Amino acid sequence: MGPSIAQYDAEEVLRSTIEFAEKDDVMVHGHLAESKSEYDFTMEQFGCSPVEWFRRNNLLGDRFYYAHCIHLDEQDIKVLAETGTGVVSCPISNMYLSSSSCQVRNMMDAGVERIGLGVDGAASSNSSNMMEEMRVAYLLNRLTHEENACTSENILYMATAGGAKTLGRNDIGTLVPGKAADLILLDWSSLSYAGGRNDPADCIVRSGDARMVDTVIVNGEIVVKKGRLLRIDEWQKSAYADEISHELLQRASKHFLALQEEIISSVQESTGGAL
């Protein structure tokens, strides 16, 4: 079977994307080998894995980084390492969508240095919580890869220096002179973490959650203090998000009267009668 018109269109879009990225010297991001169906489709249509198809179309290298990268074989991992392509693991999204898990340790052992941690989008992770993402990344790797699972130090690398390399940044990721003063201060004096404070990496990764975050400093500016955002009105933003969410739910349920009535009742109860 010959290539379809859609295939030619896709390849033209890809060529234009690469030309634009090279002209303006910007990074290219996408998703790669996330689902088994994607892998099967690529094998059926092109006779190769998604990673190999990307290689053939000049979509690998230090300008590129991709989320997920789950359904890979040894050769795929070798290609990612040799081309210096970036990988972003999104474990909570992968669990939510039943996509399986990223072979993080195998990639690191193969020489993939540009490997970071992400939350994917709110629609497929629900929390966008990096502290939670670190803990789940560790636990999911322990569950699925056993002796080839990540250590706490591996996860911290992904969330800091590895993530910076993935983004093509050399001004963030580590606390050294000349780089941006980006850091968070964690309060683990809580009774919840008693007995586990002897190993900072393990405490952060295995027991950490957003409640530990006391202060966030971005490029030397304090943007979170005592766990509260300083540059926005949290209550106002929260109320606005709820308002938009309620509006979307009501619009989506307009053909289901009983559901619409249930949503309206729920909204009125949560807002003290206001709609």
Side-chain angles (χ1 to χ4, degrees):
M1 180 183 297
S4 65
I5 294 177
Q7 178 182 337
Y8 284 126
D9 289 345
E11 292 175 356
E12 178 58 32
V13 169
L14 293 175
R15 280 193 295 270
S16 298
T17 300
I18 295 171
E19 290 173 3
F20 173 83
E22 292 178 347
K23 176 178 177 292
D24 290 345
D25 193 23
V26 295
M27 303 290 288
V28 178
H29 171 63
H31 289 199
L32 175 60
E34 177 179 2
S35 66
K36 184 63 165 55
S37 59
E38 175 190 342
Y39 179 88
D40 292 342
F41 173 84
T42 309
M43 289 296 295
E44 179 181 346
Q45 293 293 317
F46 309 112
C48 64
S49 70
V51 169
E52 174 59 20
W53 191 86
F54 272 44
R55 187 193 66 79
R56 295 177 185 178
N57 287 275
N58 301 313
L59 291 167
L60 301 180
D62 56 13
R63 189 181 297 281
F64 304 88
Y65 65 103
Y66 297 105
H68 308 299
C69 297
I70 293 173
H71 297 279
L72 312 176
D73 58 24
E74 290 185 12
Q75 179 60 25
D76 290 333
I77 293 175
K78 181 180 178 181
V79 168
L80 291 176
E82 290 177 345
T83 57
T85 304
V87 173
V88 182
S89 177
C90 305
I92 293 179
S93 171
N94 299 155
M95 294 171 67
Y96 183 80
L97 299 174
S98 302
S99 301
S100 192
S101 63
C102 183
Q103 304 173 57
V104 172
R105 187 64 178 271
N106 288 343
M107 291 190 199
M108 288 183 172
D109 291 344
V112 177
E113 294 184 357
R114 295 180 60 218
I115 184 164
L117 194 64
V119 300
D120 202 350
S124 56
S125 72
N126 289 337
S127 63
S128 297
N129 184 331
M130 277 295 288
M131 294 294 293
E132 181 183 41
E133 206 76 35
M134 284 194 292
R135 184 168 186 266
V136 172
Y138 176 84
L139 294 175
L140 181 59
N141 263 263
R142 293 286 297 175
L143 174 66
T144 56
H145 301 300
E146 300 178 356
E147 68 274 7
N148 288 325
C150 294
T151 64
S152 296
E153 288 77 8
N154 292 150
I155 300 298
L156 278 179
Y157 171 81
M158 294 168 66
T160 54
K165 290 180 179 179
T166 302
L167 295 171
R169 300 284 296 271
N170 57 15
D171 60 331
I172 59 173
T174 54
L175 294 177
V176 297
K179 292 193 177 184
D182 292 352
L183 63 151
I184 63 172
L185 305 180
L186 304 176
D187 178 9
W188 50 31
S189 62
S190 168
L191 180 62
S192 304
Y193 311 113
R197 293 189 283 262
N198 56 304
D199 188 323
D202 276 351
C203 186
I204 293 170
V205 172
R206 298 187 189 184
S207 305
D209 61 47
R211 290 171 295 179
M212 291 175 68
V213 178
D214 179 87
T215 303
V216 176
I217 301 173
V218 178
N219 201 25
E221 178 184 354
I222 297 176
V223 296
V224 174
K225 188 172 184 179
K226 298 299 181 183
R228 307 293 295 184
L229 293 165
L230 300 182
R231 300 179 66 177
I232 68 169
D233 183 328
E234 289 191 17
W235 183 89
Q236 181 186 51
K237 296 299 182 183
S238 178
Y240 174 73
D242 284 342
E243 179 184 343
I244 297 300
S245 174
H246 296 153
E247 179 184 337
L248 290 173
L249 284 172
Q250 289 180 57
R251 287 167 58 186
S253 65
K254 66 180 181 179
H255 299 298
F256 303 93
L257 183 59
L259 178 59
Q260 189 173 53
E261 291 175 349
E262 182 178 338
I263 291 172
I264 293 174
S265 176
S266 176
V267 171
Q268 289 176 332
E269 182 178 341
S270 65
T271 58
L275 186 59

